[in-house]
Amino acid sequence: MHDLSACELLQHYRRGSLSPVEVARATIAHIERWEPRLHAFYRFDPEAALAQARASEQRWQRGEALALDGVPLTLKENIATAGCAMPLGTAALADAAPALADAPPAARLREAGAVLLGKTTMPDYGMLSSGLSSLHAAARNPWDLSKGPGGSSAGAAAAAAAGYGPLHVGTDIGGSLRLPASWCGIFTLKPSLGRIPIQPPYAGRVAGPMTRTVADAALMMGPLSRPDWRDGMSLPAQDIAWQSAPLDLRGLRIGLWTDAGWGLPVDPEVQGAIEAAARLLEQAGAIVEPLAPFSTRAMIDGLDRFWRMRSWLDISALAPERRARVLPYIRQWVAAGEHCSAAELFQGYSQMAAFRDSAIAACQAFDFVISPVAPVPAFEAELASPLDDPARPFEHIAFTVPFNFSEQPAASINCGCTKAGLPIGLQIIGKRHDDLGVLQLSAAFEALRGPQQPWPTP
């Protein structure tokens, strides 16, 4: 039962061939087999999940079922849920007080009847593309337990690939949905800024669905995209048919972007998988043309300085004994922020606009753009990043970070694997606010790519 999609589970519930309680029990048992080695959960609450499943079962019996009633769900640690502390993956905040209210994504999915199994892990402050944390055991990649799942939505991606139920939610400010989705072989949509209300909102930050199938992500977008006044950056309410049919690819103009202009070189196996995906789209009638690099080393270096300063302000405000508990890699990375001048800070902040303008201009000639998500496959679980060097922390996010600040929707969908069996993600980027188009193109590619390798088992 844990391998069934949300769409399949809802069909079973409608027919009465499965119940939410049966599914919750089966999923909990499956998690208990995986979790001692995977370390995907920050907080796992089977009893609360079973209570929610029993309430869901009663709604189905009364004919009052909600949109996602009885479907298992996990939420990333930094998405507040009432009564649960939110330590942000760091031992420095291990004694954080419980949250007083659900953040918008949690509230919307509860209102839709989803059964919350628990909260998934993240690295310190969400500032790593890794499952390494000073508070949690290092999260592992279910395809190869010696590798990490990526991050910062580390536990969410591992949980989705391992079958901790079908629905998961993570967050992204530079690639934190797409990178772990790529490295764990699942699907995610980083939506346009404001499409899914979030708290707290700020430039570049979004929440998004993490699932095994495009259809399940589309199913989640209905509740997740409902407005919430607490996010002053959220988009106006729109009646979007999220579960629309896949796109007809004939005549679509698609840009193929395989040289980011900076960062790690693209691994040959990754390059081969992306080029093979482009050929599939061409064979289906799309017009695929190369897209030249459009972001620069100056952009990411400036943004790095800004993020270091911003994070240094947070960490330096801690009492010394708390500061010492932060992951050493993060402490080394933020240290340079102490000496950042006002001019450097302003110049760094301005690179958000530079990324936005260059990405929007580069994509203008195309209906969609495709690229690698990550230049390299999954790396060792004990490392903070592929280079594990706080002086060069962002060499692996060159393909993802521009679209956080251009506010464009961007998905990761599996398009192959290495000889060692590690997944490779294809990034699909749409024009600003065309989240539906990205889902429809993703669904079309999902049908083209053919059968995938079986999901990993405990």
Side-chain angles (χ1 to χ4, degrees), residues 36-50:
R37 285 168 288 175
L38 211 58
H39 309 303
F41 267 127
Y42 151 57
R43 180 175 177 178
F44 178 37
D45 197 342
E47 290 307 312
L50 286 169

Side-chain angles (χ1 to χ4, degrees), residues 111-399:
E111 290 163 3
V115 171
L116 180 60
L117 295 164
K119 307 290 289 292
T120 52
T121 58
M122 59 185 280
D124 290 53
Y125 296 98
M127 291 307 296
L128 295 177
S129 301
S130 163
L132 204 61
S133 161
S134 61
L135 181 61
H136 313 301
R140 301 278 168 172
N141 191 317
W143 295 98
D144 179 344
L145 293 175
S146 73
K147 308 296 184 185
S152 64
S153 302
Y164 286 24
L167 304 183
H168 310 268
V169 180
T171 63
D172 193 315
I173 190 175
S176 289
L177 284 164
R178 290 155 290 161
L179 289 164
S182 172
W183 288 324
C184 289
I186 64 168
F187 178 78
T188 193
L189 173 68
K190 181 208 76 66
S192 301
L193 186 73
R195 177 66 70 200
I196 294 175
I198 193 169
Q199 188 185 34
Y202 50 80
R205 185 179 190 232
V206 298
M210 304 182 80
T211 58
R212 286 181 170 186
T213 69
V214 178
D216 277 2
L219 185 67
M220 293 179 79
M221 286 300 294
L224 284 172
S225 62
R226 288 176 52 202
D228 193 298
W229 66 267
R230 292 174 291 174
D231 184 350
M233 302 170 77
S234 62
L235 297 173
Q238 285 183 272
D239 186 14
I240 296 174
W242 291 110
Q243 297 175 64
S244 299
L247 279 179
D248 182 349
L249 302 181
R250 289 172 295 183
L252 277 184
R253 294 197 65 204
I254 297 178
L256 174 59
W257 182 45
T258 58
D259 180 358
W262 58 273
L264 289 172
V266 178
D267 178 271
E269 288 188 286
V270 174
Q271 181 81 21
I274 302 304
E275 290 176 352
R279 288 193 295 273
L280 282 177
L281 294 170
E282 280 187 314
Q283 290 163 10
I287 302 163
V288 180
E289 299 173 339
L291 174 61
F294 57 82
S295 64
T296 66
R297 170 62 59 185
M299 291 178 191
I300 192 60
D301 285 350
L303 196 61
D304 183 14
R305 284 192 293 273
F306 170 76
W307 273 343
R308 287 179 196 245
M309 176 61 165
R310 180 177 160 223
S311 296
W312 177 79
L313 289 172
D314 289 337
I315 291 172
S316 65
L318 298 171
E321 63 273 14
R322 287 185 180 273
R323 203 178 313 153
R325 297 177 202 158
V326 176
L327 196 71
Y329 180 101
I330 296 289
R331 294 205 310 269
Q332 293 174 47
W333 172 66
V334 304
E338 183 177 2
H339 308 292
C340 183
S341 69
E344 288 174 324
L345 182 63
F346 177 79
Q347 191 275 338
Y349 179 81
S350 70
Q351 297 313 302
M352 294 185 194
F355 269 123
R356 180 191 64 217
D357 294 346
S358 65
I360 289 175
C363 296
Q364 195 61 33
F366 302 101
D367 298 304
F368 299 92
V369 169
I370 60 172
S371 79
V373 175
V376 295
F379 54 94
E380 284 68 24
E382 293 77 17
L383 302 183
S385 71
L387 293 178
D388 202 36
D389 181 0
R392 301 176 66 201
F394 299 134
E395 300 303 296
H396 57 287
I397 67 171
F399 289 103

Side-chain angles (χ1 to χ4, degrees), residues 1-2 9 12-13 16-29 50 53-54 57 70 72:
M1 290 179 229
H2 60 266
L9 285 175
H12 278 289
Y13 296 160
S17 50
L18 285 176
S19 79
V21 173
E22 286 179 295
V23 170
R25 285 177 176 152
T27 306
I28 288 164
L50 286 169
R54 285 189 283 271
E57 190 169 86

